[in-house]
Amino acid sequence: MTAWRTEGGTAIDRARPLRFTFDGRMVEGFAGDTVASALLAGGVSVLGRSFKYHRPRGLWGAGVEEPNALVDIAGAMPNTRATQVPAADGLAVRSVNADPSAEKDRHAFLDAFSRFIPAAFYYKTFMFPDWHLFEPRIRQMAGLGTLDAGLREPSFAEQVNHHCDVLVVGAGPSGLLAARKALRAGRRVVLCDDGRQVGGSLLHRTATIEGKPGAEWAADVAAELVEAGALVLTGTTVFGIYDHRLVGLSQKGADGAPDRLWRVRAGSIVLATGAIERPLPFGNNDLPGVMSAEAALVYLRRFGVAAGRKIVVATNNGLAHEAAEALTGAGAEVTVVDYRPDAPTPAGLRVLKGLTVVSASGRGAVSAVRLSNGSVLEADAVLVSGGFTPTVHLYCQAQGKLDWRDDILAFVPGRPVEGVEVVGAAAGDFGLPAELAEGTARDLGIVAAWPKPGAKERVWIDLQNDVTAKDVELAVRENFVSVEHLKRYTTLGMATDQGKTSNVNGLALMAEITGRRIPEVGTTTYRPPFTPVPLASFAGARSGTLMNPLRRLPLEREHRADGAVFREYGGWLRPAYYGEGPAEARIQAEAAAARKGVVLFDGSPLGKIEVIGPDAAPFLDFIYYNTVSTLSPGRCRYGFILSEAGNIYDDGVLVRLDENRFVVSCSSSHVAGVHALLEEWRQDRFDRSRIFIHNATAEMATLTVSGREAPALIAALGLDAALDDAALPHMAVVSGAFEGAPVRIARVSFTGERSYEISVPADHAAALWSRLRREGEAYGATLLGLEALMILRAEKGYVVIGKDTDGTSRPMDFGFAAPLERKKVEFIGRRSLITEDAARDDRRQFVGLEAVDGKGALPTGAHGIERTAGGLRSTGYVTSSYFSPALQRPIALGLIERGLSRMGDVIELQHLKEVRRARIVAPCAFDPEGGRLHA
């Protein structure tokens, strides 16, 4: 293949040369080139190696249809089409599926064994002795593209949601006309095209429209659209149509800009997606130098590259003649092999009528073709046109069904799809729209040139997946005659190609072998994406803290000033402990202070989800495991929320403010989940007009005062509320005010000491915290971090969901069986609690564990073990373990089989091969009578 630069090229700027490398070889080009056009102009004939046989492959197409020229772009994108990557100075481009290079691939010897490795050979060959012995090496060889291990910061795409009246896909003549019509009718229009310029075929085919050259007319229409407010997106591929006309668009960033993923909701969609030229079937039709005639015309007129100097144009239709004429005009020696006996003979062209190409030959690239009359034509490029396949992928994704047209030998859109219109070549109309034609005719005049069974040489059907006519014949012999089975048995139409160039030829061969018509064979299912979309585009900016934003306290600055050491807990950045020195010593000191005096704790992340309305009480009866509608206004109740599987999802305190208003105080890490659960069930089985849900967690800060001196410190704040035990007993709530702001004071405890939770608007939190610190000096108030709180709650046997529970924990495992027996109304998970699994007597149950071997605290995660004839068996594990400063000994909690009925039993536990001994005890190790809650 001896491609060369001509004087033309409307897409390139010869004043701006550039250089990049391909497999280490320097390649020159111009601004506006694609990697493919620059490689073609630079005389690079082998751009890749075939998937299975590692045969040399050259350039076939000029756009998204390209099956061969897949390349890795260092630091940017692996496994992408060279036809769609703009050439740029300094690019490092590498061929895929080749080692060390496409030109000199050490795996090329595999082609010599092709007769032994036909379609599906791996299903049969590598079963003995064990598939897993072969799998790693096969997978290593099968993959296309190599991830750049040095890439640390992928270029994430921006994401945009957009609405329009009309979305036009494809900016060729039909798409531009449709967009202009819609705009002039007052519609909001989005026009998109995967090319860098609008115009489609007008950019490389000759046409006169409204008195202007086609490309000039296209540019003028695009300018009119933009000026009138339409959104025109170039370099943008529509990759999928989803339910309710949600359309996915992938826009490639230009000049270093990030890619952009568009989600467009369109009132109606116009598909002007054009058509893709099919290969002609003949022996060795995969040799480098055999390429699409349409692509050759694109490279000539847009990039100023002639595909060869001695060219054979083989065609079964009339649309390839323009490429032949243009290349002749550029100085190439062109012979047209026209399969049609009555083909016209344009002036200046040598046309061989009624002949077909039987095979191509050449070492590493095409050098000649043999015709059906036995003659041989020398050629350094063979441009083929086997007809055009309308690009119907998006139409089919929209649930459209296809019809077969014998006059164009192609599938076209059949029955109408609501909100979707198909126009132009995508609908099988290969000429210009009638109102634009102005005498410009494009006559297809096609004759059939389908692959035939029994060919002596290998005829490639699917260039990307190395599927030959013999593979299709083998599939039929083995009874894989369904088109979907054929696809999976041979890989025909799979991978990134999705059958763009291969499907119809494969269906035609299947029809010939099985004695059916092509439409009777049918088509495979078209699924999104139409062409590969980088995973980073779907991720967008959602990575790190943008994927799971770290939530911050309103008082973070104040805590930092107080010497807090922060850690993440349930998505919140919270004080773990305060002060300098060894962490364990500080944590132990804080826990000890909480038992002796008064401590201040920031509990702002606790859920504050308000449920309001006349049906709030029965709604929450359904949500909670225990009955809550009997709760009096001004009172609180502890309860569980279950999953539909009957497992504990969350626990917490429910507050009833008045008859129709509740506050769900769920775990801080479950606020979003509980809020979503409440909304889901509100919409599912309740009257939404009688229940309203408001998540006030971010609006309110919650500051806790705990300890013996808590009543005196609270009284010093002047909260304008009655705080004596009669007005505010344990598990009660009252309202007050602080500096004019409303506050809610709840007497609940997670420490086991008398505690008060003060909820205040977040913008008043700093003032209240400052006041607490100032007034607390008189009582020796200290600050409490979350690590010390975990010790205090473990001393009391209080549960932390997700730490002291697993995915199978149920309320009965924690001694809460009464609601199941007594509650009369339905609640989430009820049916799952009356299953055989829920009633098993060997369930893991929540207990305390007391180390009896004198070796210190039990390791968290240590497994209870039972020695059996078959070895050790796990009977549960330690969920929490601490040293208790109040008890001056280790304490632990765990889930142990039949634990509630085995109080006092000594069990063995194992952790990292060390065996420990512990006694099963009640979970509450400190103040089991609960007297300190009222002290």
Side-chain angles (χ1 to χ4, degrees):
M1 190 174 189
T2 53
W4 48 286
R5 284 280 188 190
T6 67
E7 296 299 321
T10 59
I12 59 174
D13 183 355
R14 295 178 187 266
R16 297 165 57 198
L18 54 84
R19 306 175 78 194
F20 63 90
T21 61
F22 174 72
D23 283 348
R25 169 181 172 180
M26 188 62 67
V27 178
E28 296 181 347
F30 299 103
D33 263 324
T34 63
V35 167
S37 65
L39 290 172
L40 184 65
V44 181
S45 59
V46 181
L47 275 66
R49 289 282 169 164
S50 69
F51 177 69
K52 185 162 66 175
Y53 302 122
H54 284 255
R55 283 173 63 87
R57 290 282 164 80
L59 198 58
W60 158 263
V64 71
E65 78 282 0
E66 172 56 41
N68 297 329
L70 302 178
V71 295
D72 289 342
I73 308 298
M77 183 62 63
N79 205 29
T80 189
R81 288 181 172 87
T83 53
Q84 294 187 293
V85 180
D89 231 358
L91 279 184
V93 183
R94 191 186 184 286
S95 57
V96 305
N97 205 41
D99 184 18
S101 68
E103 187 175 2
K104 298 178 180 179
D105 178 26
R106 61 169 52 100
H107 295 115
F109 71 90
L110 288 171
D111 191 41
F113 298 90
S114 60
R115 61 177 298 186
F116 303 110
I117 49 177
F121 76 96
Y122 29 80
Y123 296 138
K124 309 167 187 176
T125 307
F126 298 110
M127 294 299 102
F128 179 83
D130 186 350
W131 158 254
H132 295 96
L133 295 176
F134 307 99
E135 182 182 17
R137 181 58 178 161
I138 290 174
R139 290 195 180 279
Q140 183 181 12
M141 292 185 66
L144 294 177
T146 302
L147 291 175
D148 187 347
L151 185 62
R152 291 291 178 266
E153 295 294 334
S155 178
F156 292 107
E158 299 174 349
Q159 296 195 346
V160 180
N161 295 305
H162 190 76
H163 290 75
C164 65
D165 297 322
V166 180
L167 170 65
V168 181
V169 183
S174 297
L176 287 167
L177 179 62
R180 187 173 70 175
K181 283 182 178 179
L183 187 73
R184 290 178 176 178
R187 315 291 294 281
R188 293 174 302 158
V189 175
V190 173
L191 172 67
C192 60
D193 192 276
D194 62 357
R196 293 291 175 184
Q197 288 179 260
V198 299
S201 63
L202 298 177
L203 298 177
H204 62 274
R205 282 193 174 272
T206 302
T208 300
I209 303 176
E210 297 177 355
K212 304 174 185 176
E216 182 182 335
W217 176 85
D220 289 347
V221 173
E224 177 188 340
L225 294 172
V226 172
E227 186 176 353
L231 183 61
V232 178
L233 303 175
T234 56
T236 302
T237 300
V238 173
F239 59 82
I241 296 180
Y242 302 87
D243 292 345
H244 312 295
R245 292 193 286 279
L246 172 63
V247 186
L249 287 66
S250 178
Q251 183 179 20
K252 290 293 183 183
D255 300 323
D259 292 352
R260 182 173 291 173
L261 186 81
W262 293 78
R263 301 182 190 90
V264 178
R265 290 279 186 188
S268 63
I269 303 168
V270 178
L271 298 178
T273 47
I276 294 172
E277 193 164 44
R278 295 193 295 261
L280 282 172
F282 52 82
N284 298 322
N285 60 337
D286 70 325
L287 282 175
V290 178
M291 67 185 298
S292 158
E294 187 79 2
L297 185 60
V298 171
Y299 288 117
L300 177 67
R301 287 187 168 158
R302 299 209 62 217
F303 302 104
V305 184
R309 294 192 179 274
K310 200 168 208 176
I311 298 173
V312 169
V313 176
T315 180
N316 67 342
N317 65 85
L319 296 187
H321 282 208
E322 185 173 351
E325 292 173 1
L327 286 162
T328 299
E333 181 184 333
V334 179
T335 300
V336 178
V337 178
D338 199 320
Y339 288 30
R340 303 171 298 168
D342 56 350
T345 305
L349 278 186
R350 181 192 178 200
V351 181
L352 304 179
K353 303 178 184 180
L355 298 179
T356 63
V357 176
V358 175
S359 66
S361 59
R363 185 176 179 83
V366 69
S367 60
V369 293
R370 182 165 56 87
L371 305 184
S372 54
N373 64 357
S375 63
V376 174
L377 299 178
E378 292 185 0
D380 59 4
V382 178
L383 313 183
V384 300
S385 178
F388 289 80
T389 299
T391 307
V392 295
H393 300 65
L394 296 176
Y395 166 79
C396 291
Q397 289 175 21
Q399 305 304 306
K401 302 300 181 183
L402 300 176
D403 289 338
W404 176 259
R405 278 179 54 182
D406 284 319
D407 61 325
I408 62 171
L409 300 178
F411 284 101
V412 295
R415 63 174 175 82
V417 174
E418 182 181 359
V420 178
E421 180 185 3
V422 187
V423 299
D429 300 325
F430 300 119
L432 292 176
E435 56 202 281
L436 300 180
E438 295 187 8
T440 303
R442 294 179 183 171
D443 180 25
L444 183 63
I446 191 169
V447 296
W450 303 124
K452 301 294 182 182
K456 294 181 180 180
E457 296 177 283
R458 281 184 290 175
V459 177
W460 260 262
I461 305 298
D462 188 325
L463 294 171
Q464 184 168 105
N465 296 296
D466 255 356
V467 179
T468 67
K470 286 179 169 48
D471 292 324
V472 178
E473 294 174 56
L474 176 62
V476 174
R477 286 201 302 273
E478 301 204 358
N479 205 33
F480 290 95
V481 294
S482 161
V483 66
E484 295 289 359
H485 292 164
L486 171 69
K487 176 178 179 178
R488 284 149 185 83
Y489 186 81
T490 64
T491 69
L492 174 67
M494 280 186 150
T496 63
D497 181 64
Q498 287 294 294
K500 293 178 178 67
T501 60
S502 61
N503 261 9
V504 176
N505 280 342
L507 298 176
L509 180 56
M510 171 69 81
E512 176 74 18
I513 299 171
T514 59
R516 293 178 288 175
R517 296 180 64 246
I518 294 175
E520 292 172 350
V521 174
T523 62
T524 53
T525 302
Y526 294 94
R527 297 183 178 92
F530 168 69
T531 192
V533 180
L535 292 178
S537 293
F538 290 110
R542 292 174 296 174
S543 65
T545 58
L546 292 177
M547 176 66 179
N548 187 18
L550 189 63
R551 307 193 69 179
R552 297 179 178 272
L553 301 171
L555 296 178
E556 180 179 334
R557 183 173 59 182
E558 286 73 12
H559 292 311
R560 291 193 183 278
D562 289 329
V565 176
F566 283 83
R567 294 176 184 170
E568 182 184 348
Y569 299 92
W572 285 85
L573 193 63
R574 304 179 67 177
Y577 60 91
Y578 293 84
E580 299 179 350
E584 188 58 33
R586 296 303 311 148
I587 293 166
Q588 288 285 314
E590 290 175 12
R595 298 296 184 210
K596 297 174 181 177
V598 61
V599 292
L600 306 178
F601 173 74
D602 187 347
S604 297
L606 284 172
K608 293 171 277 287
I609 305 174
E610 297 192 17
V611 180
I612 308 164
D615 284 352
F619 171 70
L620 290 171
D621 269 344
F622 175 77
I623 296 295
Y624 275 86
Y625 170 64
N626 31 341
T627 301
V628 298
S629 58
T630 56
L631 185 63
S632 300
R635 292 293 186 264
C636 312
R637 183 169 293 168
Y638 176 79
F640 285 135
I641 298 176
L642 309 184
S643 70
E644 292 183 74
N647 302 319
I648 298 175
Y649 176 68
D650 192 68
D651 72 337
V653 171
L654 180 71
V655 179
R656 189 168 196 170
L657 300 180
D658 59 37
E659 190 67 23
N660 297 321
R661 187 180 180 195
F662 296 79
V663 177
V664 176
S665 182
C666 55
S667 305
S668 56
S669 61
H670 281 170
V671 173
V674 170
H675 184 205
L677 180 144
L678 294 173
E679 283 287 3
E680 178 183 0
W681 286 108
R682 167 182 173 261
Q683 296 177 35
D684 183 77
R685 58 179 289 151
F686 289 88
D687 185 346
R688 287 177 286 177
S689 67
R690 295 175 61 82
I691 304 169
F692 298 91
I693 297 171
H694 173 61
N695 185 2
T697 305
E699 301 170 15
M700 306 286 286
T702 300
L703 307 180
T704 302
V705 182
S706 179
R708 293 183 177 182
E709 300 295 337
L713 177 52
I714 289 290
L717 298 177
L719 296 178
D720 194 21
L723 302 174
D724 58 275
D725 286 356
L728 186 60
H730 182 59
M731 297 301 280
V733 62
V734 295
S735 297
F738 173 74
E739 296 184 356
V743 298
R744 187 168 61 236
I745 307 110
R747 194 170 153 195
V748 296
S749 177
F750 199 50
T751 64
E753 305 290 329
R754 178 189 283 257
S755 299
Y756 299 84
E757 290 184 358
I758 310 170
S759 295
V760 62
D763 55 356
H764 286 73
L768 178 57
W769 183 257
S770 177
R771 182 76 175 275
L772 282 168
R773 299 280 282 126
R774 187 167 62 252
E775 299 291 347
E777 291 177 358
Y779 304 98
T782 60
L783 303 181
L784 184 71
L786 203 61
E787 292 297 324
L789 180 66
M790 290 295 101
I791 296 176
L792 299 175
R793 68 90 198 170
E795 290 174 341
K796 292 294 296 178
Y798 295 157
V799 177
V800 173
I801 303 299
K803 182 173 177 63
D804 298 310
T805 64
D806 62 17
T808 66
S809 298
R810 290 182 166 137
M812 300 85 77
D813 303 332
F814 291 76
F816 288 85
L820 178 61
E821 300 167 359
R822 300 174 185 171
K823 193 170 181 179
K824 304 303 181 183
V825 298
E826 190 63 61
F827 58 88
I828 298 173
R830 178 174 186 166
R831 298 177 187 180
S832 298
L833 298 183
I834 56 177
T835 60
E836 291 182 8
D837 179 74
R840 283 187 2 247
D841 59 5
D842 63 344
R843 291 189 60 81
R844 294 180 177 182
Q845 298 173 329
F846 184 63
V847 295
L849 295 168
E850 180 182 310
V852 297
D853 54 10
K855 295 182 180 179
L858 297 171
T860 300
H863 276 259
I865 56 174
E866 180 182 277
R867 301 181 186 275
T868 68
L872 300 181
R873 187 182 73 85
S874 173
T875 61
Y877 62 96
V878 177
T879 60
S880 300
S881 182
Y882 307 94
F883 181 85
S884 166
L887 300 173
Q888 285 297 298
R889 64 175 175 83
I891 59 171
L893 303 171
L895 293 171
I896 302 296
E897 284 184 6
R898 304 182 303 280
L900 294 176
S901 62
R902 298 170 61 191
M903 292 296 166
D905 287 3
V906 175
I907 64 171
E908 289 185 313
L909 301 106
Q910 179 174 288
H911 180 70
L912 299 179
K913 298 185 178 181
E914 180 186 18
V915 176
R916 300 289 305 274
R917 297 177 69 245
R919 180 179 292 109
I920 299 176
V921 297
C924 182
F926 180 81
D927 187 29
E929 298 82 13
R932 295 176 74 99
L933 291 171
H934 310 284

